[in-house]
Amino acid sequence: MATGQKLMRAIRVFEFGGPEVLKLQSDVAQPIPKDHQVLIKVHACGVNPVETYIRSGTYSRKPSLPYTPGSDVAGVIEAVGNNVSTFKKGDRVFTTSTISGGYAEYAVAADHMVYSLPEKLDFKQGAAIGVPYFTACRALLHSAHVKAGETVLVHGASGGVGLAACQIARAYGLKVLGTAGTEEGQNIVLQNGAHEVFNHRDANYIDKIKKSTDDKGIDVIIEMLANVNLSNDLKLLSYGGRVIIVGSRGPIEINPRDTMAKESSIIGVALFSSTQEELQQIAAALRAGMEIGWLRPVVGSQYPLEKAAQAHENIIHCSGAAGKMILLL
């Protein structure tokens, strides 16, 4: 350890596995920002389902071990590296990606993955923007090419991405239908842009959705759990309808014939496939949402850093999301 190197608390992963591989350490070297990088004092960090897949070693992208998870931090610029002109020490910011990992007291991020956090949003809300809002925006605008007046179903609308999708779709002039599995979740979905909400635990909820569209079908479905819902989604679509797959936790059997008469599409979305130009477009759309006021992140369950393993357990196994899960530093 270099003399004079500052230490910090951070979660470290030394082997892939269950939530128990998330280890809190208090002697981790504070990262130093290089060219075009900033050091952020982290106040809150969002927890995303994808972080549990990466941790388990089953995801397509594997970080080299050991590593610190976390991409969505909100906090204050502590220091800037060379050639950084956009930010200065003391600026309030949020990120969509970090280099050193966000489950930590300090994180280094590339300056083009860092965005100003308006005063009207607190750090908890800032930590709820990153992956959820950028994914929802990419799914609706880039993948589905939604048009005002179309009907969108957000299948699993009460979590971070779902609520972001409801807010964005409503702001862009769509008719918004959402599903949730609890009464609390349904209420939150209605408060955040949905015109109608359905309980996806009801045996006949698919029929209720069909009825609400007068059997015309749904133009766009934003799908959070494709391994359960994709077959039903294909039956719900209108002519030329599209299912945008944001999340899936396993395989599912579908009948390809369900896509033929309707000439419908199944499109996957992955935020990390975005070009820098696409990310700038999304950022501009979301910045407008913050200024106008339709972008209002809903913070759900909150955990201290030392309970990161519990957070990972609950984000996968707790039924009925209500807002965005975050870690507090």
Side-chain angles (χ1 to χ4, degrees):
M1 185 74 66
T3 38
Q5 176 120 45
K6 293 178 181 166
L7 301 180
M8 65 172 185
R9 292 161 72 239
I11 296 289
R12 301 293 280 161
V13 175
F14 294 91
E15 58 178 331
F16 296 114
E20 68 282 355
V21 304
L22 298 171
K23 305 290 187 195
L24 178 65
Q25 300 205 305
S26 51
D27 58 351
V28 179
Q30 190 176 299
I32 295 162
K34 301 188 173 110
D35 261 23
H36 298 289
Q37 295 177 0
V38 299
L39 178 69
I40 299 164
K41 181 172 184 5
V42 179
H43 286 251
C45 181
V47 179
N48 296 297
V50 70
E51 287 144 26
T52 71
Y53 312 148
I54 294 168
R55 182 215 69 229
S56 69
T58 57
Y59 198 61
S60 54
R61 289 180 302 148
K62 280 195 180 76
S64 46
L65 297 167
Y67 78 98
T68 294
S71 59
D72 298 357
V73 306
V76 175
I77 300 281
E78 179 76 10
V80 297
N82 292 330
N83 302 309
V84 175
S85 55
T86 342
F87 299 104
K88 62 185 188 306
K89 185 177 162 96
D91 286 352
R92 300 171 84 251
V93 294
F94 71 94
T95 67
T96 52
S97 173
T98 65
I99 292 163
S100 60
Y103 295 10
E105 290 179 316
Y106 291 88
V108 159
D111 60 358
H112 66 273
M113 295 292 194
V114 179
Y115 307 89
S116 290
L117 181 66
E119 289 292 339
K120 64 170 95 165
L121 297 178
D122 63 28
F123 290 119
K124 295 177 192 178
Q125 290 174 303
I129 300 171
V131 164
Y133 277 85
F134 277 69
T135 300
C137 204
R138 182 170 176 81
L140 287 162
L141 306 186
H142 178 272
S143 306
H145 303 291
V146 294
K147 301 180 196 73
E150 287 190 314
T151 300
V152 62
L153 170 66
V154 182
H155 215 158
S158 61
V161 181
L163 291 170
C166 288
Q167 291 176 3
I168 296 163
R170 183 67 180 252
Y172 278 77
L174 283 92
K175 182 181 181 190
V176 185
L177 312 180
T179 77
T182 65
E183 193 176 341
E184 183 195 9
Q186 289 178 76
N187 288 336
I188 289 174
V189 171
L190 281 175
Q191 288 157 15
N192 284 280
H195 294 86
E196 288 184 71
V197 69
F198 303 87
N199 187 332
H200 50 227
R201 295 185 201 285
D202 288 354
N204 62 341
Y205 85 98
I206 296 288
D207 294 331
K208 289 179 180 171
I209 294 173
K210 277 183 185 159
K211 203 169 161 190
S212 86
T213 69
D214 295 326
D215 286 322
K216 292 190 187 79
I218 307 276
D219 300 304
V220 173
I221 299 177
I222 305 296
E223 181 52 68
M224 309 301 165
L225 199 60
N227 56 297
V228 172
N229 300 322
L230 186 56
S231 183
N232 278 332
D233 289 343
L234 294 177
K235 297 181 179 83
L236 277 171
L237 288 176
S238 62
Y239 179 79
R242 329 37 121 195
V243 180
I244 312 299
I245 299 181
V246 170
S248 186
R249 294 180 183 173
I252 182 173
E253 187 172 308
I254 62 166
N255 184 350
R257 190 172 283 280
D258 291 337
T259 67
M260 291 163 64
K262 294 175 179 175
E263 297 199 324
S264 56
S265 312
I266 302 168
I267 303 166
V269 65
L271 183 58
F272 65 81
S273 298
S274 311
T275 65
Q276 213 165 312
E277 186 186 10
E278 287 164 351
L279 287 173
Q280 284 167 349
Q281 289 167 2
I282 295 171
L286 296 179
R287 195 175 306 117
M290 291 181 224
E291 289 164 0
I292 296 162
W294 58 252
L295 193 160
R296 304 179 310 276
V298 179
V299 176
S301 43
Q302 305 170 33
Y303 298 81
L305 187 61
E306 58 269 22
K307 293 277 173 65
Q310 189 64 55
H312 269 220
E313 180 73 27
N314 291 355
I315 201 168
I316 297 299
H317 296 295
C318 269
S319 55
K324 172 72 186 158
M325 184 183 285
I326 58 165
L327 297 174
L328 293 175
L329 277 294

